[in-house]
Amino acid sequence: MHQILNSRVVVVLSILLLSSCADNGKEMSTAKSVDASKNLSLRNLFGDKFMIGAALNKEQILNTEADTLPLVKKQFDALTAENEMKWESIHPTRNNYKFDSADALAAIAKDHNSFFVGHTLVWHAQTPDWVFTDNNGQNRTKQDLTAIVEEHINTVAGRYQNKVNGWDVLNEAFNEDGTLRQSKWLEILGDDYIAEVFKMAAKAAPDAELYYNDYNLFKPEKRRGVVAMAKKLIARGIKIDGIGIQGHYALDYPDLAELEDSIIAFGELGLKVMITELDVSVLPFPEDAHQGADVSQNFQLQDKYDPYRNGIPDDVNAQLGDRYKQLFALFLKHSDKISRVTFWGVHDTQTWRNYWPMQGRTDYPLLINRDKQLKPWVKDLMPTQP
């Protein structure tokens, strides 16, 4: 009996030992996975395919957010100001320009040997009212507004000659159906304002690439409108170098076949294609919310639209990883057309998705988490070569 018990003890100990080894193996495998992501550099991983960029906020640009600039230098080779070069930030009043943040980002881009994107010269949003209205609150004349926008472009783009490598000259000028947005630019300057601002930018920044940038460009109707606009500029000999496809996406949005059609359509024009403002929200949206990036949307925060405030569940994080793998498989397939992929933010704490289209949510849309570490599945975005 004693001998039988000893045998049973040996068997149990053996099972426990094997189980322990298996668990240790899992831990070692996970550790290796984390280490692989920790040591990974996105700019090196994709360097021979396309540039990898990020948009920096004011705190990051001015280096008041700890540990971010070394992370940016390691991971990204293209830099954009999230808000600091938009009109309301850089030119808030008629005779007042504020260049501190833009100058600082120019210096960072030079130090990091990074491609510097200026965002944006002309946009209907985040542009002060004084640009469009006079002291009596009346719309400016066409002549007056033309002089204002030309002076702005000459001053801003001129200041960063040989520093800014590419300008988002015009941002979000089209409706979803491919017609021109009914903005103050269109109302006062007329249908030809797009051609005029591109001509002004080409004169002020002759060595920089010039882009049109917009969201929901995967939609066939909007795509057709932008293709028609670009063809007209090209036919008139007006400089345009690329189209920025804003990537404000979700786990089930957009249809990647439609996105591919747009990449091909813009590439066939002989223009560079950039995936700009990329982020993938894991959160639910109100039924009446418009996907994309319409900054005028503002919904009341409800708990059902903020389900992951205490952390992202493993299965949802896995879905996010799978979605990014699908996107990057498409980008790599068309790397002959795509020159840059830029994320709209550096890490999940910073992302604008935390406050759009409602304030105070907790989203996880970027490749870098709140601990400023690459997410473990990032290493799988570049398929292993056979």
Side-chain angles (χ1 to χ4, degrees), residues 43 69-70 72-73 76-77 79 107-114:
R43 66 188 294 168
L69 288 185
V72 168
K73 186 172 186 177
F76 303 107
D77 54 5
L79 303 179
I108 292 167
K110 182 179 180 180
D111 178 62
H112 291 192
N113 192 29
S114 294

Side-chain angles (χ1 to χ4, degrees), residues 303-316:
D303 288 345
K304 65 180 179 179
Y305 297 127
D306 189 26
Y308 310 133
R309 62 185 61 173
N310 295 319
I312 183 172
D314 290 343
D315 62 327
V316 178

Side-chain angles (χ1 to χ4, degrees), residues 299-334:
F299 292 85
Q300 185 70 32
L301 178 62
Q302 301 178 45
D303 288 345
K304 65 180 179 179
Y305 297 127
D306 189 26
Y308 310 133
R309 62 185 61 173
N310 295 319
I312 183 172
D314 290 343
D315 62 327
V316 178
N317 190 40
Q319 292 178 56
L320 178 63
D322 288 342
R323 185 59 164 169
Y324 266 116
K325 290 171 195 174
Q326 295 166 2
L327 285 166
F328 270 81
L330 178 61
F331 302 158
L332 290 166
K333 178 181 177 182
H334 294 288

Side-chain angles (χ1 to χ4, degrees), residues 337-358:
K337 306 174 188 67
I338 295 173
S339 63
R340 172 170 51 89
V341 175
T342 289
F343 292 90
W344 208 238
V346 176
H347 52 74
D348 286 344
T349 306
Q350 170 206 354
T351 174
W352 80 303
R353 289 288 202 171
N354 292 326
Y355 56 86
W356 181 90
M358 57 189 70

Side-chain angles (χ1 to χ4, degrees), residues 230-249:
K231 283 183 175 179
K232 288 179 182 177
L233 294 182
I234 293 168
R236 293 173 60 181
I238 298 171
K239 179 179 170 67
I240 179 172
D241 297 289
I243 304 292
I245 300 175
Q246 291 184 25
H248 296 298
Y249 299 149

